[in-house]
Amino acid sequence: MSEGTAGAPAGAHTAADLELKPALEAVLMVVDEPATVERLARILERPARQVADVLRELADEYTLQGRGFELRHVAGGWRFYTRPAYAAAVERLVRDGQTARLTQAALETLAVVAYRQPVSRSRVSAVRGVNCDGVMRTLLQRGLVEEAGAEPETGAILYRTTNYFLERMGLRGLDELPELAPFLPEAEAIEAETQEGVPSFDPDAPDDAPGAARGSIPGTDDDDDQTEL
C-alpha cells in the first residue's frame, strides 16, 4: 500500500479513514492498561459494535495463527498479552535483565543508600565525593532504590532501598547488613571531611551561591569496573 504524508496510508486524513484492523493493532500496541471498546471506538471514530466485532476477530485470528501473543478481554477492556505457551522465553528475558552488571559507581552509591537511608542525593554525593545523579537514576530504574518522602528542612527527595534489593542481596532485613564499624572505624570523620570539600549539586542553586558546582564533576559515572549484583 502506498503511503501519504508522514507515513500515513494514502488517502487517510483522519482516524475514521484508516483500515480498522491495523488501526486497532497500532493503538493496542501502546496502551498501558486494558482499553475499553468505548474508548477505542472514540479514538478510531467508529461505532462501538463494529469495534467489538473486529476485536473478537483479531483475537480469533491470533489464536488460529499460533502467534506468540494474544488479544485478551480483561478488566473490562482489551490488551495484548504474551501467550502462556511461550512463558519460558519471556522469563529468560526478564531474568537476563535482572542479572545485568552494576558499575562500581552504582555499587558504591547503593551501599551509601543502604547504610544511610533515608538519604538525599546530595548526602550520597557528599559521601562519595562525586555527583551521583546519573547513578541514582540507574538504581531507580533497576528497582533497587525508591523515593521515601522529602527532607523536612530542605525539601530534598529522600531515597531508600527496596524489597527487591533485599531479595537480590539475600537478606531478610536491613538489620542483616554487615556492621561498618570494624572496617571503617573513622567513617563519620571521613564523611564530615568529605562534605566540606564537595560542592553543592543543587541544579536550582544560583551560579553565585556559595559552594555552587560549576562545570562537570570528574569521575561521575565513569567507573569501568563492573561487579555482579
Side-chain angles (χ1 to χ4, degrees), residues 19 23 38 46 52 60 67 74 86 88-89 108 114 118 128 137 152 158 177 190 212 224:
E19 187 179 346
E38 292 73 18
R46 306 296 175 88
D60 292 341
R67 297 293 187 90
V74 294
Y86 300 96
E108 291 176 4
R128 290 197 61 229
R137 283 193 294 271
L158 298 174
L177 285 170
I190 293 174
D224 293 326

Side-chain angles (χ1 to χ4, degrees), residues 131 197-203 205-218 220:
N131 189 334
V198 176
S200 168
F201 298 108
D202 183 359
D207 292 340
D208 57 352
R214 289 181 169 80
S216 60
I217 305 299
T220 302

Side-chain angles (χ1 to χ4, degrees), residues 111-157:
V112 175
V113 175
Y115 281 97
R116 298 290 184 183
Q117 62 185 305
V119 63
S120 65
R121 291 191 186 191
S122 60
R123 167 71 88 169
V124 176
S125 296
V127 174
R128 290 197 61 229
V130 294
N131 189 334
C132 70
D133 288 357
V135 180
M136 287 292 286
R137 283 193 294 271
T138 297
L139 296 177
L140 283 166
Q141 292 170 355
R142 296 284 184 89
L144 295 168
V145 301
E146 63 185 2
E147 294 185 4
E151 196 171 46
E153 297 82 4
T154 65
I157 297 176

